[in-house]
Amino acid sequence: RLFEAESAVRLSLLQNLKKRGHYASETAQALSSLGAIFSEQGRPGDAEAVDRAAIDIYTKIGQSNDSFSPCLK
């Protein structure tokens, strides 16, 4: 199931990147979802990398610190 979830989130991420661009809250949300999946798969290095990217996006678009909470679980 995690493989299927990862595939679906990756597809969503690509669609968000095309439609909204890199610096969009939808892109950050997709990245944080991917980070959660990586964490569940036992891939902490990958999870940290995409969580950091999500936090970077949230920071650059001026989202509040509350937006970061999904990334830090």
Side-chain angles (χ1 to χ4, degrees):
R1 292 270 180 204
L2 287 174
F3 178 76
E4 293 168 357
E6 180 183 345
S7 294
V9 172
R10 284 180 182 270
L11 179 60
S12 174
L13 176 59
L14 289 173
Q15 290 170 342
N16 282 321
L17 285 167
K18 277 183 166 178
K19 190 177 209 178
R20 305 199 191 294
H22 184 80
Y23 291 104
S25 60
E26 295 86 357
T27 301
Q29 180 58 47
L31 285 168
S32 67
S33 294
L34 191 57
I37 292 167
F38 286 161
S39 182
E40 288 291 319
Q41 290 175 334
R43 298 165 57 186
D46 293 331
E48 181 179 355
V50 295
D51 284 346
R52 287 184 183 277
I55 291 169
D56 180 61
I57 292 169
Y58 282 131
T59 301
K60 288 188 173 149
I61 64 174
Q63 291 282 334
S64 70
N65 289 345
D66 295 341
S67 301
F68 300 171
S69 59
C71 303
L72 301 175
K73 288 184 180 177

